[in-house]
Amino acid sequence: MEETLLNLRASVNAFLSQFEPILLIFYPLLALFISWILHFSFCFLQEHGLRATFLGFLMSLAKLIPGVRKYIENEKQKVVEKLQSGSKSGRDSWQTELPKVRSGREVIEMMEKEKGKDVVWQGRCSGTVYIGGSQSEGHFSLTNEAYSMFSHTNPLHLDVFPSVARFEWEVVAMTSALLGSKETASGGQVCGNMTSGGTESILLAVKSSRDYMKVKKGISKPEMIISESTHSAYDKAAQYFNIKLWRVPVNKEFQADVKGIRRFINGNTILIVGSAPGFPHGIIDPIEELGELASSFGICFHVDLCLGGFVLPFARKLGYPIPPFDFSVEGVTSISADVHKYGLAPKGTSVVLYRNHEIRKHQFVAVTEWSGGLYVSPTIAGSRPGGLIAGAWAAMMSLGQEGYLENTREIMEVSKRIQKGIKDIPELYIVGRPDMTIVAFGSNDINIFEVNDIMSSKGWHLNALQKPSSIHICVTLQHVPIVEDFLRDLRESVKTVKENPGPISGGLAPVYGAAEKMPDRGTVHELLVSYMDGTC
Ligand SMILES: *Cc1c(COP(=O)(O)O)cnc(C)c1O
């Protein structure tokens, strides 16, 4: 028996020895392969963190068990249905083919009926509709008239519609004058375009920065660095334009952490971003320090003024302590400012600005070999809505300096009143120190998302936030007359939750709670995509 074993071992050894030369090649290859795996695991770890990587790994293992996968799938479906409840019912009667001819009157009647189904947004939404107050009717009719006068126009055809070309140029010039173009040595160089909204302005600024950095520094594997509080439009930009994105935690004041950002800068970094203020907590990032950082590394620096662009310049004039936030700060290479938020222009309007023409050139697409002719287009859309440009121009011209100043005075005061009211509710705390007109608040005693559900049942539409779990109100002119109603409803909602903690029927608190705690972000991701897929 022993002899056969020995024989067997000898023949196996003989067999293997034939492969020794191959093994000599194989071992270095194996080492290379292992180091490659290690490298990628390390990068993945760095990007997602130890906990998330480990949990993600466990989850993907667990999902290999059919029962578990089915269970997760069912639970996911339940949440998706809960999120979609209401939005999908009654679709049976929806139009799926072109109808027979209908009169204009009939069409308007159908639309009026549908409009009646929308939520009563007057007064009770966070952000959403920024126009309000006694002049709002006049303002709506002016911008609507401007739109209808130019709804057929398209600035793609500059030769046909010089009118809207002038409106766009003037909206851009007026916006850049508000944002420091006149206070800088190179101010005359500041230039930009109108876009369809904050997201398009951001997409363009990121794309231009990427291509500018490619020419200037030869960066071909671009990376950008943002904060946890920076708007999700930068994720969109990173995905669309193939840029590696680093999201860095904020500091104790919920601002961009300059030292943290610095640690992620490397030879491939094209862009860092600061917000003034950030959407979640309404806090201004340390723009001057970020500007210094960007200058010292010779990289681009975008300031997101989507919310602040039409408030901060006026708040400063009113004497509020507003730190520097615009082109007057060295190192700022581009800015986005939403005319369709606090600029009170029709929805679908924003401005992207660059410090100089050298950077903006990278925004344009020029085509020389198309049989359709020589083609050049400045922004993402080809044909563009001249009517919206005219609407924005009309809004800015009619409000003027005094109009924005007065609006800012009102919303800043309401925001201070709301902050004071929230501080007087012992169960609540304000997230950081709000700089402008967005006030985020959470609770250490009660479930803030349950408070949000009770507020929703009272007709309010606030924004749910995470990291930390909180909600915010973005104060607009709509809230000026009803600020005391808001605080009364908030006090009552807090009391209700304190006395009867637990979810209410139809409420979203369990969904937000679960999403916040869910360690496996892959499942939350899938959930969001399923929700969207089923909604539109
Ligand atoms: C609203 C907003 C955006 C995105 O703007 P959209 O107009 O929704 O595309 C980007 N950044 C900040 C800070 C915003 O408030």
Side-chain angles (χ1 to χ4, degrees):
M1 181 67 186
E2 206 162 299
E3 211 162 293
T4 25
L5 259 183
L6 275 178
N7 275 343
L8 189 67
R9 192 182 290 168
S11 50
V12 167
N13 277 345
F15 176 76
L16 283 179
S17 66
Q18 293 178 64
F19 296 102
E20 251 163 34
I22 298 179
L23 286 180
L24 277 182
I25 307 171
F26 177 75
Y27 282 127
L29 276 181
L30 186 69
L32 210 68
F33 181 68
I34 291 174
S35 71
W36 183 73
I37 294 275
L38 281 177
H39 172 75
F40 275 90
S41 326
F42 179 71
C43 288
F44 194 83
L45 263 174
Q46 210 182 10
E47 216 170 316
H48 301 270
L50 183 63
R51 202 176 117 89
T53 306
F54 182 64
L55 287 164
F57 178 68
L58 280 190
M59 278 301 277
S60 35
L61 276 189
K63 280 187 202 164
L64 291 177
I65 308 165
V68 174
R69 193 171 54 221
K70 189 128 196 259
Y71 175 78
I72 294 174
E73 204 47 51
N74 283 344
E75 288 302 303
K76 194 178 89 190
Q77 206 44 43
K78 273 191 222 157
V79 176
V80 167
E81 269 157 30
K82 183 154 191 154
L83 286 170
Q84 283 168 345
S85 64
S87 68
K88 270 185 105 172
S89 54
R91 277 194 190 177
D92 309 340
S93 61
W94 285 16
Q95 203 72 32
T96 56
E97 277 176 50
L98 276 173
K100 291 206 185 76
V101 176
R102 284 172 198 269
S103 72
R105 190 62 250 151
E106 210 179 331
V107 173
I108 294 290
E109 273 165 18
M110 289 170 77
M111 288 197 287
E112 269 164 1
K113 194 163 150 243
E114 285 311 306
K115 195 172 179 181
K117 294 179 191 162
D118 285 347
V119 160
V120 181
W121 51 263
Q122 283 83 352
R124 298 190 157 229
C125 291
S126 165
T128 317
V129 179
Y130 291 71
I131 303 165
S134 53
Q135 349 91 319
S136 68
E137 220 166 282
H139 189 83
F140 270 126
S141 60
L142 170 74
T143 50
N144 289 346
E145 191 175 338
Y147 178 81
S148 60
M149 273 172 81
F150 289 91
S151 63
H152 61 284
T153 66
N154 178 358
L156 185 66
H157 306 290
L158 277 179
D159 48 338
V160 188
F161 304 114
S163 53
V164 286
R166 173 177 175 166
F167 296 152
E168 175 174 8
W169 193 92
E170 290 187 352
V171 166
V172 170
M174 291 188 278
T175 308
S176 58
L178 285 177
L179 301 177
S181 70
K182 303 239 156 117
E183 282 92 60
T184 62
S186 61
Q189 282 274 321
V190 171
C191 54
N193 289 92
M194 284 191 71
T195 70
S196 61
T199 301
E200 189 185 344
S201 292
I202 289 163
L203 290 176
L204 287 172
V206 171
K207 188 261 182 211
S208 307
S209 303
R210 183 196 67 176
D211 294 354
Y212 175 62
M213 281 289 113
K214 180 156 193 184
V215 170
K216 196 173 150 212
K217 296 178 88 176
I219 296 173
S220 56
K221 285 186 174 169
E223 298 184 12
M224 61 196 247
I225 310 163
I226 63 173
S227 300
E228 230 161 34
S229 56
T230 316
H231 198 274
S232 44
Y234 300 86
D235 289 79
K236 202 180 247 186
Q239 290 183 27
Y240 283 7
F241 302 131
N242 215 0
I243 297 167
K244 185 168 177 151
L245 180 74
W246 301 100
R247 229 180 224 286
V248 179
V250 289
N251 66 18
K252 286 201 179 66
E253 275 83 47
F254 296 90
Q255 295 175 305
D257 177 3
V258 181
K259 278 202 193 111
I261 289 176
R262 189 196 173 100
R263 255 179 254 133
F264 282 86
I265 296 182
N266 63 39
N268 289 327
T269 308
I270 54 158
L271 176 72
I272 60 174
V273 178
S275 308
F279 170 83
H281 315 123
I283 295 171
I284 301 176
D285 287 334
I287 301 301
E288 274 185 310
E289 287 174 58
L290 289 168
E292 255 169 52
L293 186 65
S295 298
S296 71
F297 282 95
I299 56 180
C300 292
F301 174 31
H302 181 79
V303 181
D304 189 335
L305 276 156
C306 283
L307 273 175
F310 288 88
V311 177
L312 295 182
F314 302 103
R316 174 179 282 164
K317 275 204 181 128
L318 291 167
Y320 287 99
I322 305 290
F325 56 86
D326 57 19
F327 282 118
S328 63
V329 177
E330 206 186 320
V332 174
T333 48
S334 57
I335 282 177
S336 49
D338 284 355
V339 208
H340 71 188
K341 287 183 181 159
Y342 288 109
L344 307 193
K347 282 291 177 245
T349 52
S350 171
V351 171
V352 58
L353 298 172
Y354 297 93
R355 182 170 288 273
N356 56 48
H357 293 264
E358 202 46 42
I359 311 172
R360 184 177 69 160
K361 271 182 196 160
H362 298 279
Q363 181 186 287
F364 302 158
V365 171
V367 180
T368 55
E369 304 311 306
W370 180 34
S371 52
L374 296 175
Y375 181 95
V376 60
S377 154
T379 60
I380 294 182
S383 290
R384 294 195 297 149
L388 289 178
I389 293 171
W393 187 84
M396 290 178 79
M397 292 298 282
S398 69
L399 282 163
Q401 290 276 349
E402 288 74 22
Y404 286 113
L405 203 63
E406 193 43 45
N407 291 345
T408 302
R409 185 198 311 279
E410 292 190 28
I411 53 176
M412 286 297 281
E413 275 166 17
V414 168
S415 154
K416 296 287 171 231
R417 176 73 195 97
I418 287 180
Q419 287 175 52
K420 164 132 201 334
I422 293 174
K423 278 191 193 131
D424 289 342
I425 304 175
E427 290 81 5
L428 301 182
Y429 70 87
I430 292 179
V431 182
R433 261 177 299 144
D435 282 305
M436 209 180 83
T437 49
I438 295 93
V439 186
F441 49 98
S443 175
N444 293 319
D445 302 335
I446 52 176
N447 184 333
I448 196 69
F449 297 131
E450 288 174 8
V451 174
N452 191 31
D453 283 345
I454 308 280
M455 286 297 276
S456 301
S457 72
K458 293 178 191 285
W460 293 93
H461 294 265
L462 307 178
N463 296 73
L465 313 167
Q466 51 178 357
K467 303 180 184 194
S469 294
S470 46
I471 51 182
H472 87 198
I473 177 163
C474 173
V475 175
T476 71
L477 290 169
Q478 295 278 331
H479 305 124
V480 177
I482 54 164
V483 55
E484 295 307 326
D485 297 355
F486 171 78
L487 289 171
R488 189 202 54 229
D489 285 351
L490 186 59
R491 280 191 296 268
E492 279 177 18
S493 303
V494 167
K495 190 159 171 266
T496 306
V497 173
K498 188 146 193 191
E499 284 165 5
N500 310 291
I504 59 167
S505 99
L508 287 177
V511 175
Y512 289 131
E516 171 98 282
K517 289 197 196 83
M518 180 75 89
D520 171 47
R521 306 311 282 173
T523 306
V524 182
H525 187 277
E526 281 172 28
L527 203 143
L528 289 175
V529 173
S530 304
Y531 162 69
M532 188 89 284
D533 196 38
T535 307
C536 52

